Every structure is written in C-alpha cells, then in structure tokens.
Amino acid sequence: MNGMSLTDGQHEKGRAAGHERETIIELRNVDYTYQAGSPFAAAALHDVNLKIQRGTLIGIAGGTGCGKSTLLQLLNGLLLPTGGSVRVLDHTLLPGMKKLRLNALRRRVGLSFQFPEQHLFEDTVEKDLMFGPLNFGFTREEARTKAAEALRSMGLGDELLNRHPLSLSGGQMRKVAIATVLAAGPEVLMLDEPTATLDSAARRELIALLARLCREEGRTILMVTHRIEELLEAADEWVVMNEGRIVFQGDADELVDRTNELREWGLAVPEQLRCWEEWTARLPQLAALPLPRTPEAMARVIAEAVRGSAGAPDAVRVSAPESIHRSAPAPGSESPSEAVNEARSGEWEHDLCATN
Amino acid sequence: MERECTAAVELRGIDFAYEQEQAVLREINLHVDRGEWVAIVGESGCGKSTLVRLLNALLTPQAGQVLLFGEELTVHNAPLLRSRIGMVFQNPDNQFIGESVEEDIAFGLEGLCLERGEMERRIASYAQLLDITSLLHKHPGELSGGQKQRCAVAACLAMEPEIVVFDESTSMQDERSRRELLDMMDHMRRQGKYTIFSVTHDADEMLAADRILALKDGRVRGDRSPAAFFADEALLRDCGITLPFRLKLEQELNLLGIATEDVAGGAARKRKHPSNHATAERGQRT
C-alpha cells in the first residue's frame, strides 16, 4: 500500500476547521535499536516510512512488542533514531544528534505514556497538571486554569485537585495522566493505549474528546490501541505494525478488508466486522454493501435485508449468528448461583425471526 | 487447622477509608464459594481494587471481618493465609523485583522455601504455560507492557495459590494475549481448584465469570449472573458499562422488529459450557 490514501469523506473529516492538509510528521527509513552497539542490542523498528498530515486522527495497532511505543517515543525526541530521519513539525531528528532544544518540540507534541504512574510525580494532582504548562512558560494563574480545564475535560471533578496522585484509582490515575498532557495544549497529541484501564463509558467519552480536539481544533492525534473496534468509527487513518515494521497504512475500509492478516498480526478482528461476517453468511445480499460502523446502522441494514427476503412464509427464519450473551434469567431467579445454573443447564436457542 | 468450609472468601460488614478521606467501601457483605469466578466491575474510583486488596491484608478494614477459608484474617495469621492468595496487579511494574524474569518468578518461590529442583520445575512449567520461556533471561525493562503482564501472571501462578486475584490483568494485553489469558482463566476455573476474582472493564471477561459483583460509590450495587447483569440497563449505566457492539446490535434489531428469541450461544456458550464441569467437580469436592 502506498502512503495514506484517503477517501473523500475522510478528507472532509480530517480537514477540520479549515486546516490545510500539511504533512507534519515524516519518517524516512527509520531504524531503532535499543542498546545499539552493545551485546544486548535489540532491534525494535526496521525501515519505517510514514507520513502523517495535520488534523488527522491516526489509530496505531499491533501486537505486544511490535514497536508501537517505540514509534511514539521517536516523535517527541524521547528516543532518537539509530537509522534514517524523523521530521516532526519543523524539527528533524537524526541518529546521534545531541538532544538539545527539544523543549520547543515537546511543548507542541504531547505524549501520554502506557503507564499513567510515569506522568505522576508531584504530591497533588493539581501540581502534576500544572507542571507542563509552567514548564512551557505559562504563568501560575494560567497553568492553574489549564489544569482545572484539562481535568474537567477528562470527566473528573475539581475535588481531585488536592488529592495525592497515587491515592487515585487506576482509572482515575489514567485520566489524570492524559489530562497532564492535555493541559499543555499540544498540537500533536500521542496516546499510548489510553483506554486500557478505563471502563467502556469512559473509553467512549475519551475517544469523543479526541475526535473533538481533532475536528474542531485541528489537533493531530495518534492513538495506540489493541482494540481496533473502539476507534474504527473515529480514526481517519490506520497504521498497523508487526515485528518492528509498518505492515499496513490506510483507511478503515482498507483495514477491514484485511481480516485474515489482522489475525496473523495478533490483532482482534473488530467486533463490527465479526458480526457483519456472521450476518453476511446468512444473508448473502449483505455482502455487496459496505460495512456499517455503528450497531444502529448495521441493524437498519440487516432489518431491511431480512424484510426483503420475507416474501414466503418462514423464508426469513434464519439462524442467529453467534452471540456473546445469553437470555436474561427468568424473574425470580436473580440469585447468581440460580441464574448461572439455569443458564448452564438450559438449552441454547438460535432461531431468529422477523416479526410484524 | 482448617475447618470444613465451602466458602473461600466471606466479607462481613466491611467499611474502609484511606487516611483522612471519605469512605471508599461501605457495608460490603460477600460470600464466595471455592472454585467460583467473580468479576468485580464499576466505574473508576468505585472501590474495586480496594476491595481485592482487603483479601490478603494489604489493607485492613476499619469495620467488619474478612474470612478466608472460614478463618478470620488477622495480623497474626495474615502471613500464612496470604500464601494462599496470589495477586496480579493492574500495572506489572508494581510487582517486578528481580533483575530477570526468571529471578522474579524465583523470588516468590524462595519465599515459600521450596527446594531448588521444585523451583526450577515450576519456573519452566509456568513459563511454558504463559509462553514466556524465551523471555526468562531478559530484564523486565526490555519487555513490552503485554509481555510484562504475562510474566507477572506466571510469577503469581508459580506459587500455586488457591485464590487468584486478577486486577485488570487483561487490560494491557494485545488481543491474542488477552484471549490466551482469558482461556487460561477459564481453564483454571474448570480445574476447580482456584477461586478467581477479576477486577475488569472487559466485557468478555465479565461474560466468562460465574458472577458479576457491581460496585457503585463503594457499595454493592448488584451481584448477578452475567446474563442478568447485561440485561439490566440501569445497572450497566451505574457501572459505566456500555453494551458491547454485538449486544447493542441485537437490541437495535429488536427495536426494529427483528426479534431475537432467546438469542444465545456462540462465544459465551463455548466459554461457559466447560464450567458445567467445574460445577460438577466442585459438587464432588464439597
């Protein structure tokens, strides 16, 4: 696949708030080896080429240890390439260069680490949130305002400002860590598995926030995730990595066409696609249609197809595709052991029919 | 001496607060039989991780009792009872001590005063189970997040605990590792010798459990089977859980007049079905 071809719709999505599509990140033949030159050298990236344009939301996926986190750390100068060149905004990072004057780059390119504790070192949440803005030259009052705004944007209340960061729960800590990056207002926001320890409602809220920052403010977002399905609707582009190489670059439609390879790369086939494949096996007329991204859209398309084939009696009676849930227990069997035993011993029904 | 007791864990009237802060847990009562798998769910900060830290006396409640295998957990018996509980934390960095993965696994085994041969056997066996044999001589710092988590699970299981607490252990895993870990947890349940607590936001993990204990603001908001839990929209909302795509699709189809009559089966059936064996095994043992 050559570069990042976009569909018209995605061009529109990415061209938020009148921002021109300027290439702001470019990697050319980038290699990275940990402990290069030592007996413990471990290559993490091989010959990586990548272009990312301003104002796009990029999903980065790949199995454990494939080099995703290394890639992000090259983009704000935490790591320097051991081969090739990395250009980010107006900074170029080359092998062996001295890491001088990277503060300006890091102000514009924020990175939220995989483990939130790595962001939190002060004795209150507020101080942690103010650290970035103060470091980047904002006044104390401005930094305090930015801290509170960032915390609220993550759905957390001001009452946490005076808490010790390490007294927070895992999910709260994760949100505060992301807020510390948001507080500095970076142009490019990189998040390394930000949804990993969040509940599903908080995951959706975070992705909605990222999409808003991208569409309304023109920020560029790079998000590493193991769960393609959670970002399938929002991402403009996808980068898939495997064993230190970029094995796919393209949009969501192209990605979902590569089902078999996703499995080989250690990735989950998005749940949307699994459902769609199961329904397509029962209703072949669906195969010609594009993948609906939301459950609402998919239900509408399936309903039309079911009704369309309902001319003859019983014609619409189809086997329900595999489902991951069981029916609710009968009233009165609410106690866990009863409900579980009932579900375990019960027969599983697979029939599905259209009703009028 | 251990009494004949089917309960692995009982919590009676537990209240807990961190210093100078408002209560994190309030009036928690819970009875978990040996061999059960309980998923603990709820929004960030609702007390999930605090609850499981009470089980091995990492935290001590201000009120109430924690009973393990029928015996009240106290400062005197905590060291002994603790050896019967393994914990796998949210962040694997929190439990790495050794300079290599092998040393790290050995650290816990040394604490159990095992003979060298037995230590080596367990390290090899659990490394193979978790597919980390090639990582044994690596420094934890060289590992990715998912690899670290697998090593942490191996270090825990090598101590052969009777109760295993997984505190969001699947959250940092890639899909292949996540499914492998879920399958392993299911395998552990089928063996019938482990009681499992898993703090999780993962819908598949919830569906694989026997029970879902839902917390809201430090109180038990629900204690249901997975099926009953996912059928209760108010409860899901209170726990910050949105319906997985597949369940939402079925709900939407129902709204459009496509009735799913007791739609069931598939992945859950495959995963749940073996638990019949676990129930049977437990029935024989108790």
Side-chain angles (χ1 to χ4, degrees):
Chain A
M1 188 151 305
N2 297 321
M4 292 222 178
S5 61
L6 296 174
T7 64
D8 288 346
Q10 281 167 328
H11 269 298
E12 283 308 311
K13 259 204 306 186
R15 206 194 324 262
H19 292 275
E20 288 303 312
R21 296 186 62 81
E22 162 204 2
T23 298
I24 58 166
I25 294 174
E26 185 170 7
L27 276 69
R28 287 188 180 178
N29 309 111
V30 168
D31 296 326
Y32 186 80
T33 302
Y34 285 97
Q35 301 184 58
S38 81
F40 306 104
L45 295 179
H46 310 274
D47 196 24
V48 169
N49 291 284
L50 178 68
K51 285 184 184 177
I52 290 174
Q53 288 153 329
R54 187 186 292 280
T56 48
L57 201 165
I58 311 290
I60 302 175
T64 295
C66 72
K68 306 183 296 291
S69 302
T70 304
L71 177 68
L72 291 193
Q73 290 178 42
L74 283 167
L75 300 183
N76 76 346
L78 275 180
L79 299 176
L80 291 175
T82 51
S85 68
V86 176
R87 182 176 70 78
V88 182
L89 298 164
D90 46 7
H91 298 261
T92 300
L93 306 174
L94 298 167
M97 69 186 291
K98 289 186 178 175
K99 291 189 190 178
L100 295 176
R101 292 188 290 277
L102 286 177
N103 212 28
L105 173 64
R106 289 182 184 148
R107 176 176 176 172
R108 299 171 72 187
V109 182
L111 170 60
S112 167
F113 293 110
Q114 195 172 7
F115 295 107
E117 293 90 334
Q118 293 168 345
H119 287 271
L120 308 172
F121 42 80
E122 296 279 13
D123 58 6
T124 68
V125 167
E126 185 175 44
K127 285 184 191 171
D128 263 326
L129 291 167
M130 289 171 64
F131 180 85
L134 287 174
N135 208 24
F136 295 137
F138 291 98
T139 67
R140 184 154 283 280
E141 211 42 51
E142 286 169 335
R144 184 164 286 122
T145 304
K146 286 180 179 297
E149 283 172 358
L151 195 64
R152 281 183 219 127
S153 73
M154 290 307 301
L156 298 175
D158 291 355
E159 70 277 5
L160 292 190
L161 285 169
N162 291 321
R163 289 270 297 271
H164 192 291
L166 300 184
S167 76
L168 303 176
S169 76
Q172 288 170 331
M173 219 184 280
R174 168 80 58 185
K175 291 178 181 177
V176 168
I178 296 169
T180 62
V181 182
L182 290 176
E187 290 168 53
V188 179
L189 180 57
M190 307 189 293
L191 304 106
D192 196 349
E193 297 187 43
T195 59
T197 51
L198 299 182
D199 59 62
S200 52
R203 267 183 236 155
R204 281 194 183 188
E205 285 164 16
L206 174 62
I207 288 167
L209 170 70
L210 297 179
R212 214 164 46 240
L213 290 172
C214 181
R215 312 282 174 247
E216 295 173 10
E217 298 180 20
R219 315 262 189 118
T220 307
I221 314 279
L222 284 79
M223 178 174 143
V224 166
T225 182
H226 288 311
R227 303 180 179 104
I228 292 177
E229 61 207 36
E230 71 184 5
L231 200 59
L232 201 59
E233 178 66 10
D236 298 308
E237 296 294 328
W238 284 93
V239 172
V240 179
M241 300 188 67
N242 189 37
E243 295 180 354
R245 297 178 191 278
I246 291 183
V247 290
F248 172 87
Q249 297 172 30
D251 64 27
D253 288 334
E254 291 168 311
L255 184 66
V256 297
D257 279 342
R258 310 280 288 269
T259 315
N260 292 333
E261 284 142 297
L262 286 177
R263 293 189 176 104
E264 286 168 21
W265 298 328
L267 291 167
V269 173
E271 187 70 351
Q272 295 97 318
L273 187 54
R274 283 208 296 267
C275 290
W276 188 241
E277 284 179 339
E278 289 162 13
W279 280 100
T280 303
R282 270 81 177 181
L283 298 166
Q285 63 268 43
L286 295 175
L289 304 174
L291 170 73
R293 306 283 167 78
T294 65
E296 294 83 356
M298 192 176 289
R300 280 194 298 274
V301 174
I302 291 170
E304 280 174 27
V306 168
R307 293 203 177 96
S309 59
D314 297 330
V316 297
R317 202 165 175 81
V318 293
S319 296
E322 285 195 344
S323 169
I324 55 169
H325 85 145
R326 302 162 304 187
S327 61
S333 63
E334 279 291 290
S335 88
S337 53
E338 265 182 67
V340 168
N341 289 336
E342 181 190 341
R344 284 173 176 167
S345 60
E347 288 295 318
W348 298 91
E349 296 296 331
H350 284 263
D351 284 347
L352 176 143
C353 62
T355 57
N356 295 318
Chain B
M1 182 177 153
E2 190 179 324
R3 289 165 287 173
E4 190 65 34
C5 178
T6 61
V9 170
E10 282 180 86
L11 302 181
R12 296 179 183 166
I14 295 288
D15 291 335
F16 179 84
Y18 291 97
E19 283 177 28
Q20 299 173 337
E21 289 180 16
Q22 66 180 34
V24 176
L25 294 174
R26 299 180 183 92
E27 298 169 35
I28 302 288
N29 292 290
L30 182 67
H31 178 112
V32 177
D33 276 337
R34 291 179 194 231
E36 271 195 296
W37 178 352
V38 181
I40 302 175
V41 307
E43 290 180 315
S44 298
C46 71
K48 304 184 294 293
S49 295
T50 301
L51 177 64
V52 294
R53 279 164 174 72
L54 291 167
L55 301 183
N56 71 346
L58 277 178
L59 300 173
T60 308
Q62 277 81 31
Q65 293 174 297
V66 178
L67 285 83
L68 299 181
F69 311 105
E71 192 175 345
E72 185 177 358
L73 187 60
T74 65
V75 288
H76 305 295
N77 64 13
L80 191 62
L81 287 175
R82 212 178 252 157
S83 69
R84 299 170 73 179
I85 301 187
M87 300 198 78
V88 182
F89 293 101
Q90 205 167 53
N91 182 349
D93 283 336
N94 291 347
Q95 59 193 99
F96 276 119
I97 292 164
E99 289 293 306
S100 71
V101 171
E102 186 176 39
E103 267 185 42
D104 200 72
I105 301 174
F107 178 82
L109 301 180
E110 283 169 359
L112 296 178
C113 303
L114 297 179
E115 288 177 4
R116 188 175 182 86
E118 174 63 9
M119 283 171 57
E120 286 172 353
R121 185 196 69 74
R122 288 200 194 181
I123 290 170
S125 160
Y126 286 93
Q128 188 180 16
L129 184 69
L130 273 298
D131 194 22
I132 57 161
T133 304
S134 62
L135 307 179
L136 280 176
H137 298 294
K138 290 199 171 184
H139 188 281
E142 294 177 69
L143 309 180
S144 70
Q147 289 169 333
K148 282 180 186 173
Q149 193 60 289
R150 290 218 302 279
C151 295
V153 173
C156 167
L157 293 189
M159 297 174 74
E160 302 194 340
E162 292 161 76
I163 299 173
V164 183
V165 177
F166 292 95
D167 191 352
E168 296 200 42
S169 309
T170 57
S171 63
M172 303 302 297
Q173 307 273 24
D174 66 19
E175 180 58 16
R176 186 180 295 158
S177 308
R178 186 183 72 92
R179 292 219 172 264
E180 282 171 4
L181 186 51
L182 275 180
D183 286 345
M184 197 196 63
M185 290 161 81
D186 193 48
H187 176 71
M188 287 166 62
R189 192 250 311 271
R190 273 185 278 136
Q191 287 182 309
K193 65 178 184 180
Y194 296 104
T195 304
I196 303 172
F197 289 84
S198 62
V199 174
T200 187
H201 295 302
D202 183 293
D204 285 341
E205 201 173 321
M206 295 177 207
L207 285 158
D210 294 311
R211 289 161 65 178
I212 297 179
L213 183 75
L215 298 182
K216 170 76 176 168
D217 298 332
R219 295 178 192 275
V220 174
R221 169 68 180 78
D223 185 356
R224 312 275 174 86
S225 69
F229 178 76
F230 279 101
D232 187 336
E233 288 189 23
L235 181 56
L236 291 176
R237 205 167 37 247
D238 280 352
C239 298
I241 292 167
T242 53
L243 273 180
F245 187 94
R246 188 178 294 267
L247 303 190
K248 181 69 179 164
L249 173 63
E250 286 169 5
Q251 192 183 67
E252 291 296 319
L253 284 169
N254 287 338
L255 287 173
L256 290 169
I258 308 294
T260 50
E261 294 175 353
D262 197 8
V263 175
R269 189 159 52 110
K270 284 175 197 163
R271 184 161 287 133
K272 298 303 290 188
H273 187 62
S275 64
N276 290 325
H277 303 303
T279 309
E281 285 172 25
R282 289 203 296 277
Q284 287 167 2
R285 291 174 55 230
T286 53

